[in-house]
Amino acid sequence: MSQTYFAGIDAGSTYVKAALMDENQALVAFDQRPTGIDADGTSQKMIAAMAEANGIPADHIQNIIATGYSRRIISMARDTVTEIKAHARGAAWSAPNSIGIRTVIDIGGQDSKVIVLDGDNEILNFAMNDKCAAGTGRFLESLARVLELDISELGPLSLQSNMPLSINSTCVVFAESEVVSLVARKKKREDIVAGIHHSLAKRIAAMARKAGAQPGILLTGGGGRNAGIASALDEALLMDIHVPEYPQLNGALGAALIGMTED
């Protein structure tokens, strides 16, 4: 009997992430590409490339579910699901070492989310920040540009800091001015970056507390690839922060897993 496969597409405003799983919930392939101006076309190329690389005929992909900001324009998806449901479903699969996850914190390029789960992985509550860039990856991208750093350098650099500086501005524009001022005063870049992480973590921690965050926290999205954010959140919430192997894929994985339960 032929193997069947399930695909999840997380069409975000910055990146499209796709995951291809087999019927035993094993991750077969994944891809991530900038969304560009054609999220639908990008998604089609990603699914085709993953199938071809793994010798999977198109008709063996039984279901494709889309989530994310641009989910409604993904023409090859047979259904869509909200980001909240996709991330909640992906958390149990993504959790390292079978840790019981009760809270998902997802930090994406344009928004951040906190999802509180019960012991059966059902959603109890959630909160989103999609109005202000100060609590999202865009905050980091803007300030990394000011410091002439690649965003991938921020995490390792911040962990070298012994004295994080205070970044008090709650607006990206004013925070940029604050960082420029610190650079002009010859402050260490690692202390500035650590201060940026603590500033972002402080905002997200406040949102998490308001949503009722419980211990057993999974950090996903692009923020999950930044060890400095994980450390700052750990300190802000006084709770252990767990990071999955593929933090950026959690939404796509959740969408693929939901696709397995549909007729």
Side-chain angles (χ1 to χ4, degrees):
M1 186 175 177
S2 299
Q3 179 87 299
T4 56
Y5 299 86
F6 300 84
I9 299 170
D10 182 359
S13 57
T14 308
Y15 284 93
V16 176
K17 289 81 67 178
L20 186 63
M21 308 183 79
D22 68 19
E23 59 199 22
N24 297 313
Q25 299 189 2
L27 179 61
V28 175
F30 64 91
D31 198 357
Q32 173 176 309
R33 302 185 188 186
T35 303
I37 60 173
D38 182 11
D40 186 30
T42 300
S43 300
Q44 292 182 38
K45 291 174 184 175
M46 293 167 71
I47 296 296
M50 289 193 296
E52 182 179 0
N54 290 276
I56 299 171
D59 62 356
H60 285 207
I61 301 177
Q62 186 171 317
N63 204 355
I64 300 176
I65 303 294
T67 187
Y69 180 80
S70 302
R71 63 183 181 273
R72 293 186 178 86
I73 66 171
I74 305 304
S75 58
M76 66 191 315
R78 296 178 185 172
D79 202 356
T80 63
V81 64
T82 68
E83 295 170 78
I84 301 300
K85 289 182 178 177
H87 280 275
R89 183 64 185 86
W93 191 96
S94 296
N97 303 318
S98 302
I99 293 170
I101 297 301
R102 297 295 301 273
T103 304
V104 179
I105 296 178
D106 180 78
I107 303 176
Q110 301 293 328
D111 66 34
S112 54
K113 299 176 276 292
V114 175
I115 307 164
V116 183
L117 307 170
D118 67 12
D120 296 320
N121 206 47
E122 297 295 326
I123 299 168
L124 291 176
N125 196 15
F126 70 91
M128 289 188 69
N129 167 26
D130 58 1
K131 304 294 184 186
C132 174
T136 72
R138 189 146 55 100
F139 182 72
L140 296 179
E141 290 175 355
S142 297
L143 299 183
R145 190 166 52 248
V146 173
L147 291 167
E148 298 182 348
L149 292 168
D150 185 89
I151 195 164
S152 65
E153 299 178 90
L154 297 180
L157 186 60
S158 73
L159 296 181
Q160 298 174 22
S161 172
N162 294 316
M163 189 178 297
L165 296 168
S166 294
I167 307 294
N168 297 312
S169 300
T170 57
C171 167
V172 171
V173 175
F174 292 127
E176 284 184 357
S177 298
E178 201 172 343
V179 168
V180 168
S181 174
L182 292 171
V183 171
R185 290 158 53 195
K186 306 296 185 185
K187 297 296 184 182
K188 294 180 179 178
R189 286 203 298 183
E190 57 265 36
D191 293 336
I192 298 174
V193 174
I196 292 168
H197 287 162
H198 280 277
S199 176
L200 185 145
K202 183 178 177 182
R203 292 182 181 85
I204 293 177
M207 184 170 66
R209 290 192 196 93
K210 190 173 181 180
Q214 298 294 315
I217 296 179
L218 189 72
L219 178 59
T220 65
R225 303 176 72 179
N226 184 323
I229 292 181
S231 176
L233 274 174
D234 188 312
E235 188 174 324
L237 285 168
L238 299 177
M239 298 180 191
D240 290 338
I241 305 296
H242 305 285
V243 179
E245 184 175 3
Y246 307 108
Q248 75 281 17
L249 285 183
N250 191 57
L253 288 165
L257 291 165
I258 289 171
M260 295 182 194
T261 63
E262 292 189 345
D263 295 332

